[in-house]
Structure formats: structure tokens, C-alpha cells
Amino acid sequence: MSIRKKLIIPILVLLTIGLASFSVHKFYVSVTQIDFIPEKKRIEVTARFFIDDLNNALENKYKAKFYLGSERETEIQKEQLKQYLSTHFSIHVNGKPKTMQFVQKEMEDDVLICYLKIIDISKINTLEVKNTLLFEVLPEQQHITHTKVLNIKKSILLTDDNPSELLKY
């Protein structure tokens, strides 16, 4: 892959963030990293969301105040987060749906980072990613998704108009 192609996604992301800072409207974006770890036969997922947007979406869905990422967070809210993620975020490997296991979460400034995994994956020919998180409250939400499968890196942009993408390896 040429240097030009390697630089295009980071440059576009920085340009978009820079332009968004001059905009009147807030920029709604999440970033997800999906890595295939062949020696462990698993896929590891790291998803980053702005906590206020995620809390708003959960409040809308469950009709209750949410405090994820704060000391007021409850066990019920953590379970509802897991349910929300499993409903709105899915991965198909080689055409078959796979169950993601929630590993843990942590806060970094105003971003909630969720770690998930899919086990018993020995080979990937295709990877279909679907992400409809936050679209019900933020139709302008964008999900930047980076994948690394057998040292092949690909990036996709998922939106309300295009919530899923099929990648071939």
C-alpha cells in the first residue's frame, strides 16, 4: 500500500475534526477498532463513544436517567448498555452472525471505551460490520471503523444511510 493511501484516512479524520470545530453543529462520531488475533482465534473490538451521546441514547430507549461513566452508574445501567450494544452492533464472519462478549469498559476524559471479543474464529474471508448505535437519537452520527485482519488494514465509514459494510480478505 502506498504512503498516500496509508495517510488518507488519518488526514480525512483530522480535517473533518478540524472543520467540525469551526462549525455551529456538534460533530457526532465514534471510532471502532476490530482486530483479528489468529493465534488466539478471536476478534477483539475496541469501541469509543462520547459518553453524553451514549447516555442520551440509553435514556431515550429506557426512559430513565443514565449515569454511565460516573460514580452514579448502576449495575442495571451496565446491563442495559450491554443489551443496547448487542442490539445495535453486530459482526458476521464468513457470512455467519457471531456473538460478541462484553469484556469491560473504561472512561477516558468524556469518551466511554468498550472492549468486546468474539471467540472461536480460525479464519476470516469476509467480515460484515453493522453499527446502528445512536442513530435513533442522532441521525447524523458517523461510525469510523478500522479493521486489521492478517495484517491487512481497512477502514469504513458507517452512517444512518449506510449502516453496514462487507469487507473481503
Side-chain angles (χ1 to χ4, degrees), residues 52-141:
D52 57 339
D53 297 336
L54 190 55
N55 276 329
N56 287 339
L58 291 165
E59 287 171 7
N60 181 66
K61 177 170 179 57
Y62 294 106
K63 307 299 183 216
K65 186 74 177 149
F66 267 73
Y67 301 98
L68 290 176
S70 77
E71 63 281 349
R72 296 177 67 186
E73 173 183 284
T74 67
E75 287 301 316
I76 291 172
Q77 290 175 353
K78 289 179 196 176
E79 289 305 313
Q80 290 170 320
L81 167 65
K82 292 176 190 179
Q83 182 181 14
Y84 181 74
L85 288 171
S86 69
T87 301
H88 291 279
F89 182 61
S90 64
I91 294 177
H92 286 65
V93 177
N94 304 327
K96 296 179 181 162
K98 297 297 178 181
T99 301
M100 274 187 275
Q101 298 174 4
F102 187 91
V103 177
Q104 69 179 33
K105 64 174 184 51
E106 66 179 331
M107 284 296 299
E108 187 175 280
D109 298 321
D110 59 348
V111 174
L112 181 72
I113 306 170
C114 296
Y115 301 95
L116 306 117
K117 67 180 179 180
I118 301 171
I119 58 172
D120 296 325
I121 305 295
S122 56
K123 184 177 179 183
I124 297 179
N125 295 318
T126 63
L127 189 70
E128 183 178 4
V129 181
K130 183 174 183 182
N131 189 342
T132 61
L133 291 158
L134 308 176
F135 290 159
E136 70 278 10
V137 292
L138 298 169
E140 60 274 19
Q141 175 73 32

Side-chain angles (χ1 to χ4, degrees), residues 2-40:
S2 71
I3 297 276
R4 177 185 248 175
K5 287 183 179 178
K6 287 182 180 178
L7 293 175
I8 193 83
I9 294 295
I11 290 171
L12 286 175
V13 170
L14 290 173
L15 181 62
T16 304
I17 290 170
L19 290 174
S21 66
F22 294 106
S23 173
V24 175
H25 301 287
K26 185 177 176 185
F27 188 63
Y28 300 103
V29 68
S30 76
V31 178
T32 301
Q33 179 68 45
I34 300 171
D35 295 318
F36 176 48
I37 315 298
E39 60 274 8
K40 295 183 179 180

